[in-house]
């Protein structure tokens, strides 16, 4: 891969709002070249989507996230792709990943409550023919999402000590 393309992608991955002019200043390319390169990367599917990371807690919107691990049985003449395609169509599902180890697939799901997530798993996921078993892990707190720190560490302020 061309080093300039890699640099453009890294800038956009860290800040999807970076303008072609800002990227041009970082890469030494012209803004027009950057725009053309980005358009080509979008057309070919290298750039799939632009995303905003929202800290819902800061506006009082309470979502519950859970990581669900699945053991699956593959259907004849179908691989993991077929079950992943069925699962990722549910709007509650935020991510689907193929794993190595004890479980085959990992999902991240979002709901309004733990009960909503539990019902989703029980009614929509566990009932799929290919799913042998599930393990649900509720996310208690997210510190970092897609490379972005959500909660800055509090600085410890020492009190002055006098003798």
């Amino acid at each position: 891969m061309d080093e300039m393309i890699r640099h453009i992608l890294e800038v956009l991955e860290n800040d999807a709002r970076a303008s072609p002019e800002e990227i041009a200043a970082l890469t030494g390319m012209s803004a027009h070249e950057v725009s053309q390169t980005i358009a080509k990367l979008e057309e070919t599917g290298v750039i799939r989507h632009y995303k905003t990371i929202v800290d819902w807690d800061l506006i009082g919107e309470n979502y519950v996230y859970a990581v669900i691990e699945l053991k699956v049985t593959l259907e004849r003449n179908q691989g993991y792709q077929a079950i992943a395609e069925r699962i990722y169509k549910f709007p509650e599902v935020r991510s689907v990943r193929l794993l190595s180890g004890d479980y085959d697939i990992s999902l991240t799901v979002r709901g309004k409550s733990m009960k909503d997530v539990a019902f989703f798993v029980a009614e929509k996921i566990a009932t799929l023919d290919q799913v042998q078993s599930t393990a649900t892990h509720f996310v208690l707190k997210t510190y970092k999402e897609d490379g972005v720190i959500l909660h800055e560490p509090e600085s410890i302020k020492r009190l002055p000590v006098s003798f």
Side-chain angles (χ1 to χ4, degrees):
M1 175 190 296
D2 181 293
E3 198 59 38
M4 288 299 184
I5 291 173
R6 182 185 313 277
H7 198 170
I8 290 170
L9 291 171
E10 287 173 349
V11 170
L12 288 173
E13 187 176 49
N14 288 317
D15 181 7
R17 293 180 56 173
S19 70
E21 293 76 21
E22 292 170 323
I23 298 170
L26 294 169
T27 62
M29 298 170 71
S30 73
H32 179 70
E33 289 174 308
V34 170
S35 294
Q36 286 183 320
T37 303
I38 291 171
K40 190 177 202 178
L41 293 167
E42 291 169 344
E43 287 172 22
T44 58
V46 172
I47 295 177
R48 295 291 201 179
H49 186 77
Y50 294 93
K51 180 179 179 180
T52 300
I53 298 170
V54 178
D55 188 342
W56 292 105
D57 291 342
L58 289 179
I59 60 168
E61 188 69 33
N62 297 318
Y63 287 114
V64 173
Y65 291 87
V67 175
I68 294 102
E69 297 172 314
L70 309 176
K71 286 186 184 180
V72 300
T73 303
L74 298 179
E75 292 181 350
R76 187 175 211 177
N77 298 325
Q78 293 189 343
Y80 292 103
Q81 184 73 27
I83 184 73
E85 288 173 2
R86 278 187 81 184
I87 292 169
Y88 67 52
K89 291 179 182 175
F90 291 113
E92 297 88 346
V93 176
R94 309 298 289 176
S95 67
V96 179
R97 294 181 174 89
L98 181 63
L99 303 175
S100 64
D102 292 335
Y103 290 91
D104 302 308
I105 294 177
S106 171
L107 319 174
T108 302
V109 300
R110 179 174 84 176
K112 282 290 195 180
S113 67
M114 291 175 85
K115 187 176 181 178
D116 284 346
V117 171
F119 277 119
F120 170 74
V121 173
E123 294 174 358
K124 303 277 175 74
I125 300 299
T127 59
L128 295 173
D129 291 338
Q130 301 94 331
V131 175
Q132 291 178 355
S133 66
T134 67
T136 301
H137 311 276
F138 286 98
V139 176
L140 302 177
K141 185 171 180 82
T142 300
Y143 297 99
K144 188 174 184 178
E145 182 74 33
D146 286 337
V148 176
I149 297 170
L150 298 180
H151 301 279
E152 294 294 332
E154 295 179 20
S155 60
I156 299 172
K157 296 179 181 175
R158 293 182 55 161
L159 297 173
V161 179
S162 61
F163 293 95

